[in-house]
């Protein structure tokens, strides 16, 4: 039976522009052993090619097929629900290209969907239009609900803050596709052609990667090289199957591989 991985990027493979030691060797091992894997990221702004190029700069060589983003999951979900629909988008780059690839037309009036993703060029006028569209009946989608890192000078407000503003103004709750939503967790699995029992999630965040994996029945590995720390395990009613300091500490075969 084949086995494979859904791997978070930021906090597992790198932190900002610094590769976590040993991440390149782990990826090389997967490639050498022909073990299926994809990097699963909530970042909807970056296209798969953007992600490949960032990893390339760090010395990790993968292909676009090894990337699955919340933008890809969102566009796929919307295409299933409303083929050849229209969308008003607060987002950039990867989200826009993914919507185009799934047959969506981006419009400025009467959209079927209002979609919120990452971006740094939002204006209050764009948010106001989004609110009017939703009040007029447009469906409200968020690629993810990642918060701002709350650092001085950070130029990305975080999708959660934009979505909260629109929800407060409309009384409508956004449907969220990205991690930990089962929608993205299942689509990422299908992207690498594995069954539920064949998948292991590697992530650094209990509230997204690990929770998402637990919800759909995947095995999970928490790395302590990013957001979540060992003491945070007490704050959640679930636990990962394995906890490691970094991805470099993961040895194959895993205990649950049979």
């Amino acid at each position: 039976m084949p086995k494979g991985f859904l791997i978070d990027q930021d906090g597992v493979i790198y932190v900002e522009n610094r590769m976590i030691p040993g991440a390149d060797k782990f990826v090389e091992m997967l490639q050498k052993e022909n073990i299926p894997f994809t990097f699963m990221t909530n970042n909807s702004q970056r296209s798969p090619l953007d992600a490949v190029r960032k990893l390339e700069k760090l010395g990790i060589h993968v292909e676009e097929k090894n990337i699955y983003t919340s933008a890809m999951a969102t566009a796929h979900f919307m295409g299933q629900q409303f083929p050849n629909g229209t969308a008003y988008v607060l987002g950039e780059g990867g989200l826009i290209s993914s919507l185009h690839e799934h047959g969506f037309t981006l419009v400025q009036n009467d959209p079927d969907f209002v979609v919120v993703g990452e971006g740094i060029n939002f204006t209050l006028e764009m948010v106001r239009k989004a609110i009017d569209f939703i009040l007029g009946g447009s469906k409200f989608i968020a690629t993810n609900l990642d918060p701002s890192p709350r650092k001085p000078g950070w130029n990305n407000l975080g999708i959660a803050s934009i979505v909260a503003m629109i929800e407060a103004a409309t009384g409508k709750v956004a449907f969220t596709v990205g991690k930990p939503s089962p929608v993205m967790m299942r689509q990422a699995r299908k992207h690498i052609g594995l069954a539920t029992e064949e998948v292991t999630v590697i992530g650094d965040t209990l509230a997204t990667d690990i929770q998402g994996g637990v919800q759909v029945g995947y095995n999970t590995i928490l790395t302590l090289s990013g957001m979540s720390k060992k003491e945070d395990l007490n704050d959640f009613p679930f636990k990962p199957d394995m906890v490691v300091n970094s991805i470099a500490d993961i040895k194959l075969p895993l205990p649950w591989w049979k």
Side-chain angles (χ1 to χ4, degrees), residues 2-258:
K3 307 290 185 181
F5 292 95
L6 301 178
I7 308 170
D8 185 34
Q9 291 187 92
D10 198 356
V12 175
I13 301 299
Y14 55 74
V15 174
E16 297 181 353
N17 293 313
R18 177 182 58 82
M19 183 181 71
I20 292 172
D24 54 344
K25 301 301 181 186
F26 184 80
V27 174
E28 287 172 8
M29 177 176 60
L30 299 183
Q31 292 168 328
K32 181 179 179 181
E33 301 295 330
N34 292 315
I35 296 173
F37 72 94
T38 194
F39 291 112
M40 182 176 58
T41 174
N42 259 358
N43 189 312
S44 64
Q45 188 173 12
R46 232 181 252 137
S47 70
L49 181 58
D50 293 333
V52 167
R53 287 174 173 168
K54 179 178 176 66
L55 291 168
E56 187 80 25
K57 290 179 180 178
L58 297 174
I60 297 173
H61 311 291
V62 297
E63 302 176 51
E64 289 182 60
K65 69 179 183 180
N66 299 121
I67 307 295
Y68 197 76
T69 73
S70 65
M72 297 165 67
T74 299
H76 183 272
F77 171 80
M78 290 168 57
Q80 286 184 317
Q81 296 293 314
F82 212 107
N84 301 312
T86 59
Y88 179 72
V89 179
L90 277 69
E92 300 167 6
L95 177 56
I96 291 173
S97 60
S98 289
L99 289 169
H100 281 311
E101 288 169 9
H102 283 80
F104 274 82
T105 302
L106 307 190
V107 298
Q108 295 294 316
N109 292 290
D110 301 318
D112 298 315
F113 290 93
V114 169
V115 189
V116 180
E118 276 91 358
I120 60 173
N121 295 314
F122 295 165
T123 66
L124 283 177
E125 175 61 19
M126 292 170 67
V127 173
R128 186 195 63 77
K129 288 184 72 173
I131 289 167
D132 285 348
F133 292 147
I134 294 166
L135 290 173
S138 299
K139 301 162 189 66
F140 187 17
I141 300 278
T143 59
N144 62 75
L145 289 180
D146 286 357
S148 167
R150 299 174 182 171
K151 296 179 181 178
W154 197 260
N155 63 0
N156 189 334
L157 295 175
I159 292 180
S161 61
I162 301 296
V163 169
M165 180 165 49
I166 296 173
E167 287 180 339
T170 61
K172 304 291 185 180
V173 177
F175 183 84
T176 307
V177 178
K179 301 181 293 183
S181 167
V183 176
M184 181 166 175
M185 303 303 293
R186 292 194 185 102
Q187 289 301 330
R189 169 182 63 78
K190 293 176 181 178
H191 183 68
I192 54 174
L194 295 179
T196 297
E197 62 272 16
E198 298 167 345
V199 174
T200 296
V201 174
I202 305 174
D204 71 306
T205 309
L206 284 158
T208 52
D209 308 302
I210 306 306
Q211 179 174 319
V214 168
Q215 287 178 157
V216 293
Y218 303 155
N219 288 108
T220 58
I221 300 175
L222 176 70
T223 67
L224 301 177
S225 51
M227 292 291 293
S228 295
K229 305 304 177 188
K230 203 162 189 177
E231 55 268 26
D232 297 333
L233 288 163
N234 296 323
D235 297 332
F236 291 84
F238 55 83
K239 61 181 181 180
D241 295 286
M242 182 183 292
V243 179
V244 295
N245 288 323
S246 81
I247 196 169
D249 298 322
I250 300 173
K251 307 300 179 185
L252 301 183
L254 295 172
W256 49 88
W257 286 9
K258 297 179 181 178

